Amino acid sequence: MAPPTVVSMVLSHGGESSRSDRPAGRGTTKRTTVDVPDEPSHEAGGGPGPRAASADRAAARRAERRAERVSGGARELEQRLTDLLRGGLAAAGRPGHGLWEETAARMVDAQAPGLAGRARELASIPASGAGWPARLLEECALLHLLDSAWLRLGRLPGPLAATVRTRVGLTAPAGGPAVRDQWLVLARYDTPDGRIVTRRIWLYGRNSERIALLLSYGAPGRAPAHALPVGAVIDAEVTPYPGGGGLRVELGTEFGEPVVTGTPPPGGTAADAVAAYGNALRDDPWLDAWPATLRDVVPAPSGDGWQLVGVADGSALPVAARALSRPGLWKLVALSGGGPLTVFGECGHRGFDPFAAWCPEGSDGVGPGEAVALI
Amino acid sequence: MPTTVTSTGAPVNASWEDLVSSAVLGTDRRPLRTEEGAAVSPSALLDAAAAHTVRRRAALRPAVGATLPAPAPADLRPPLPDAARRRLAQLLADRSAQPGGGRRGSAPDLTELIPQWLASAGAHGYRAPAELLPALLDAARARTDLRPHVLAFAGPRGLWLASLNPEWRFALRASSRDARRPDTSDPAAVRRLWQEGLFAERVALLGALRDQDPGRARSLLVSTWSSERAEDRLMFLDSLRSGLSADDETFLEEALADRSRNVRATAAELLSSLPGSALARRMADRATSCVNPDRTGGTVSVAVEAPHECDPAMQRDGVVPVPPSGRGERSWWLGQLVEATPLGVWRERFGGRAAHELVALPVADGWAGELHAAWCRAAVRQRDPDWARALLGAPSTPPANGPGTASPAERSKLLASLPPSERALWVAGFIAAHGLSEAFQLLGVCSVPWDAPLGRSVVDALDIARDAGSYPWSFSGVMGLAERCLNPAEADRLAVLTTTPDEPEGASPGAGGYWSEAFQRLVSTLRLRAAMDAELSQGGAG
């Protein structure tokens, strides 16, 4: 039942050395382009006249040129990574080491924003405290996995190929079947992303029981488009984007106005949350975390940090380091007052990052069922 | 150990530690080898590392839970109405968003309204919303003046939360009587807490007990009095100030012989505010031997013969023998005697004259200033409204020509001895006559919201200042007070002032615009306060 992981898909074919300067890449690129141009063609609908056909051809040529540039970037990135490994990661820890910024700039030139973003993030790892070489190796390895996967895209099954394309930075339009549901807004937060602001809105479908992520972007000084408040429920259709485990969706038709009601989504245990993350990694090994709702957990101090401890089984997830410095952590602790809560957030290899919490009935906190945003 | 078929076709069979050490030093210097001994390419090393990484992440398991914190004590107060909760969130968010400094525009200064909001919510007896406790504690950490109100409002869960975050340690140290009112119903528990408690707990206990049963509080204090440290004796003695009565006299008389000079002085001060006490009588005897009516020449005047020495008996009754530098010792002693003498004595002594007649009498030999200043201090200490009224004089009299004191600080103390409505009327009259420049301290003792005559008087004075063409920031202190203290119901009447008038001749450039902005802020702040009050009065619908 479980599909083979991307790792084995990418790596088990053998033979080709990714260092080969030559046709391997070119051949792969050819295959890639077979996948790429399906973007605009299905819109043609009624009568594809000669003009539509020529427009399609032009779009296909553009897509092919873009894919070639990305492949060039991926090969260059692979070269840089193997050079780094040859000389040793220790070099990357020296001050003034500009490798990653420069690499990121090259990837931007190669129109591969996904590769550029990951390369840029590597720059901060040497300053991240003890154990950084192991963390840097992990992320270098995943970056290598991504560029190798891109260069062998044609050999991957469709969903994996879509994930790789999205990760590299080629966005495909949302295209799956629309899902209509009562969507509860679990969390909403903005993160600055260079000069633009990225807004993330997490939704939970009451009937489909699935979690979905809406992304929107704001230009400098402008708020991102969607303004759904936490705790609102909208009756709406959403359309998933390809890849990435089908988490990201586009908001389609909305039926009626949002209403604020709501009970929290039914949550699970800490074990359920890490298992869901592990499962999701099979479809997208580059995932740092996966959404999860924890039921009946109590925040408890643990060493220098905090844990969310399940009252039922005593199993726990550490609170992710980046959440420890946010005011939301203390809101969570205050809401709990030492008692159990339902908490929604992301569970991953860095721990659990809480985004919203609900108090049980009869507690001193906010009214039962009312969502409190933690981020 | 995972075996990965690599892109070079050779299996890499290495532990994560081997992969890391080769990667850190570089495959050139520390090559990784296959079982056959062939060097593994960097690319193959990365393949293997990727496999390790993803496998490890996919195989995460939950940790064993740490010990749970003890639950916060229950808080039985009703929750805030929803609108009030949103308002508080907004006030607190504005506080943290304040850039600090800069010219104030026409928007209300929300930070300044936090104390009022907290006092009002506290009076309604609401429970603080749990999710806002961190922001409340942060606000109290930054502003000590907010602490008593915040801690009272935050309640038991606030203290519980503060115990988990070292940044909020101040909340545990604060011995606010409101925050943790000790239970006084169980005599054994009271005795135990009194004997074994920390100093702050004992002060809180004594204060709480004194409010309920002054005699019981005094007995508790007497039971351990002789073994207390001098600093502690002073603090405990101070808590007898509330509920002070003739029943306390015996104990205070004994305290006049205390080893500590500060304790003796405080005991004397407390006794002198009990008009029937033996100390008050002794001080009256001394004072009336110095201050007497002089009937020579047909009219009555006040003759003063200041004391020539400060004998041990005077010192025992709290008279400080050594004056501050620059003051003569005889006038220093006289001042202390008159200050500690019950004011009623003077009426007897001067043929039944009332306070306002007494302060109008001529005083011989330039002693008027010294004598009236001492009467002012006595009126404040004995909280005597007749004397306070007499010493303040008519509000329209210029301060320098008044009967008592010209100092705004002393005058505001006298004002505090008057009933609130009279206080407001007096200050209203003062502002009408003298404008706002010396009114700030006097306004500070008026009760909030201001009575209508006072409010009108302040607004009229601001209007006059605008017409005079000065800039509004010369009055920013009073403006700020008006925003917080004017009755919100005045907002509509004030709206006409928010327009920008034609600039009068000789006005400071642009002043008109700034004034209308200042009045806009005043009006919008008043409207906001009205909304806040309404939200809190909605009753626990939350």
Side-chain angles (χ1 to χ4, degrees):
Chain A
M1 159 207 123
T5 67
V6 166
V7 185
S8 55
M9 283 304 301
V10 171
L11 305 179
S12 62
H13 61 88
E16 266 172 346
S17 160
S18 51
R19 286 205 62 235
S20 117
D21 330 322
R22 187 219 62 93
R26 186 164 270 283
T28 324
T29 312
K30 279 260 165 56
R31 273 192 295 275
T32 305
T33 57
V34 176
D35 289 345
V36 176
D38 62 22
E39 294 168 24
S41 59
H42 63 92
E43 308 224 11
R51 286 184 64 173
S54 86
D56 280 358
R57 277 196 301 279
R61 271 200 307 278
R62 276 198 304 278
E64 187 175 349
R65 274 201 299 277
R66 166 112 192 244
E68 276 170 19
R69 293 187 71 167
V70 172
S71 294
R75 280 190 295 272
E76 179 177 347
L77 177 60
E78 184 57 19
Q79 182 68 57
R80 284 168 179 260
L81 285 172
T82 50
D83 286 351
L84 178 67
L85 263 283
R86 228 170 240 120
L89 294 179
R94 283 180 209 125
H97 181 88
L99 173 73
W100 302 120
E101 282 76 9
E102 195 198 325
T103 306
R106 296 290 298 151
M107 293 306 111
V108 170
D109 291 345
Q111 295 188 312
L115 295 178
R118 293 187 88 85
R120 206 175 292 121
E121 279 171 25
L122 293 187
S124 64
I125 295 181
S128 67
W132 69 264
R135 283 195 294 280
L136 185 58
L137 177 58
E138 284 181 350
E139 295 306 321
C140 284
L142 289 173
L143 190 51
H144 156 82
L145 186 63
L146 185 55
D147 67 44
S148 320
W150 170 264
L151 294 172
R152 294 167 185 77
L153 195 64
R155 303 191 187 175
L156 300 180
L160 266 178
T163 297
V164 170
R165 268 201 302 275
T166 308
R167 287 286 177 191
V168 165
L170 276 74
T171 48
V179 182
R180 180 170 174 182
D181 206 336
Q182 304 287 322
W183 297 98
L184 167 66
V185 179
L186 297 172
R188 181 185 91 183
Y189 56 95
D190 298 344
T191 37
D193 205 354
R195 293 190 63 227
I196 60 164
V197 172
T198 304
R199 170 165 292 177
R200 287 177 173 76
I201 296 181
W202 291 93
L203 300 172
Y204 171 74
R206 290 237 174 269
N207 304 320
S208 58
E209 297 186 1
R210 73 184 261 177
I211 285 179
L213 173 63
L214 276 179
L215 288 182
S216 54
Y217 303 95
R222 304 245 308 265
H226 296 300
L228 300 167
V230 171
V233 176
I234 46 168
D235 180 357
E237 278 180 352
V238 303
T239 311
Y241 282 86
L247 199 58
R248 188 183 167 198
V249 297
E250 182 178 73
L251 187 59
T253 317
E254 292 175 58
F255 306 91
E257 292 292 303
V259 287
V260 177
T261 64
T263 46
T269 63
D272 295 339
V274 290
Y277 172 58
N279 252 334
L281 283 173
R282 284 197 246 164
D283 291 338
D284 181 352
W286 297 279
L287 279 170
D288 283 324
W290 189 251
T293 307
L294 301 175
R295 189 177 53 212
D296 291 341
V297 286
V298 180
S302 155
D304 291 338
W306 285 79
Q307 284 184 338
L308 293 174
V309 184
V311 287
D313 58 0
S315 71
L317 294 175
V319 173
R322 65 176 183 163
L324 292 177
S325 55
R326 276 203 302 258
L329 172 74
W330 290 101
K331 272 193 194 177
L332 179 69
V333 177
L335 271 183
S336 148
L341 300 170
T342 297
V343 182
F344 168 74
E346 274 189 311
C347 177
H349 61 93
R350 298 193 183 100
F352 191 91
D353 193 353
F355 296 161
W358 293 259
C359 289
E361 203 134 354
S363 79
D364 278 0
V366 290
E370 188 167 342
V372 176
L374 303 176
I375 182 169
Chain B
M1 188 161 305
T3 301
T4 309
V5 179
T6 70
S7 52
T8 48
V12 172
N13 208 353
S15 72
W16 174 247
E17 288 69 28
D18 289 344
L19 293 177
V20 172
S21 68
S22 177
V24 168
L25 295 170
T27 52
D28 285 351
R29 237 180 309 171
R30 172 77 66 93
L32 192 68
R33 298 194 183 278
T34 61
E35 279 168 356
E36 294 80 41
V40 167
S41 73
S43 175
L45 192 158
L46 285 171
D47 284 347
H52 264 280
T53 302
V54 177
R55 265 197 207 101
R56 196 169 46 241
R57 290 180 182 180
L60 286 173
R61 291 286 168 268
V64 175
T67 317
L68 297 185
D75 189 337
L76 302 176
R77 293 175 293 176
L80 277 177
D82 278 345
R85 200 176 81 192
R86 283 192 295 274
R87 177 75 62 191
L88 176 62
Q90 192 190 356
L91 295 179
L92 292 167
D94 197 67
R95 185 194 78 82
S96 48
Q98 288 261 312
R103 194 175 67 83
R104 299 174 63 196
S106 57
D109 184 351
L110 296 185
T111 310
E112 288 301 322
L113 297 179
I114 294 178
Q116 212 168 63
W117 190 97
L118 287 171
S120 186
H124 281 92
Y126 289 120
R127 171 178 85 212
E131 77 277 12
L132 295 180
L133 287 174
L136 280 165
L137 289 167
D138 280 343
R141 177 168 177 249
R143 275 181 61 177
T144 47
D145 62 313
L146 290 179
R147 287 182 187 177
H149 277 134
V150 164
L151 292 179
F153 183 50
R157 186 171 291 208
L159 277 183
W160 175 89
L161 189 64
S163 72
L164 293 167
N165 187 342
E167 293 200 347
W168 298 326
R169 216 177 283 139
F170 70 88
L172 310 177
R173 280 197 304 263
S175 69
S176 160
R177 272 163 66 170
D178 299 320
R180 273 182 295 183
R181 213 166 169 78
D183 179 16
T184 52
S185 56
D186 174 8
V190 166
R191 188 144 294 278
R192 194 169 343 106
L193 184 58
W194 180 248
Q195 276 162 358
E196 297 165 14
L198 302 171
F199 175 68
E201 292 171 327
R202 302 180 69 208
V203 171
L205 174 67
L206 192 63
L209 207 55
R210 182 76 176 171
D211 290 348
Q212 291 160 9
D213 183 348
R216 200 171 143 214
R218 190 186 55 246
S219 312
L220 190 67
L221 179 55
V222 168
S223 69
T224 58
W225 179 252
S226 57
S227 59
E228 304 288 355
R229 300 182 313 152
E231 309 92 278
D232 296 359
R233 287 203 302 280
L234 186 63
M235 286 295 290
F236 292 143
L237 199 59
D238 210 55
S239 47
L240 297 190
R241 211 175 278 277
S242 81
L244 188 68
S245 75
D247 296 340
D248 299 317
E249 189 184 346
T250 318
F251 171 66
L252 291 172
E253 245 334 296
E254 282 168 22
L256 285 176
D258 198 272
R259 297 186 295 282
S260 151
R261 189 162 58 89
N262 288 330
V263 172
R264 293 198 299 272
T266 304
E269 190 204 325
L270 291 173
L271 282 168
S272 71
S273 48
L274 291 171
S277 72
L279 177 131
R281 259 194 320 279
R282 294 196 294 273
M283 294 304 261
D285 287 347
R286 294 180 185 117
T288 50
S289 72
C290 299
V291 179
N292 279 293
D294 178 359
R295 293 192 177 78
T296 53
T299 59
V300 176
S301 64
V302 183
V304 176
E305 175 69 23
H308 291 274
E309 61 166 346
C310 183
D311 59 35
M314 279 166 74
Q315 293 185 38
R316 184 180 177 277
D317 283 348
V319 178
V320 180
V322 183
S325 64
R327 294 201 59 180
E329 38 181 34
R330 290 183 64 204
S331 69
W332 170 245
W333 297 330
L334 174 77
Q336 294 180 77
L337 296 182
V338 173
E339 182 182 351
T341 297
L343 286 160
V345 165
W346 305 113
R347 185 178 191 126
E348 260 167 61
R349 199 73 187 164
F350 282 79
R353 283 183 173 77
H356 68 274
E357 295 168 301
L358 284 162
V359 300
L361 289 177
V363 182
D365 306 327
W367 282 103
E370 205 63 56
L371 181 64
H372 286 171
W375 276 341
C376 284
R377 295 196 297 276
V380 169
R381 189 190 282 194
Q382 296 167 36
R383 292 200 189 89
D384 188 318
D386 284 339
W387 276 87
R389 203 172 291 130
L391 288 159
L392 281 164
S396 54
T397 313
N401 304 342
T405 165
S407 135
E410 299 283 321
R411 288 179 149 221
S412 46
K413 284 188 201 162
L414 286 172
L415 272 173
S417 314
L418 298 181
S421 59
E422 192 181 343
R423 225 182 284 168
L425 268 181
W426 195 92
V427 179
F430 180 88
I431 290 172
H434 312 296
L436 291 166
S437 52
E438 304 208 11
F440 186 76
Q441 270 183 305
L442 305 177
L443 284 168
V445 294
C446 293
S447 60
V448 177
W450 288 340
D451 285 357
L454 177 57
R456 259 197 302 282
S457 181
V458 171
V459 171
D460 287 349
L462 287 170
D463 201 17
I464 289 168
R466 171 173 73 165
D467 290 345
S470 47
Y471 282 118
W473 40 84
S474 316
F475 301 90
S476 59
V478 172
M479 246 327 172
L481 272 182
E483 286 164 18
R484 299 194 290 282
C485 306
L486 266 180
N487 192 324
E490 305 270 338
D492 291 336
R493 213 172 56 77
L494 287 170
V496 294
L497 295 172
T498 58
T499 54
T500 308
D502 296 334
E503 283 192 9
E505 191 104 357
S508 312
Y514 292 126
W515 273 105
S516 78
E517 195 177 75
F519 278 118
Q520 277 166 29
R521 187 176 60 241
L522 178 58
V523 170
S524 57
T525 307
L526 294 180
R527 296 225 159 101
L528 187 63
R529 283 174 49 213
M532 280 169 31
D533 286 346
E535 289 158 4
L536 283 166
S537 305
Q538 272 166 14

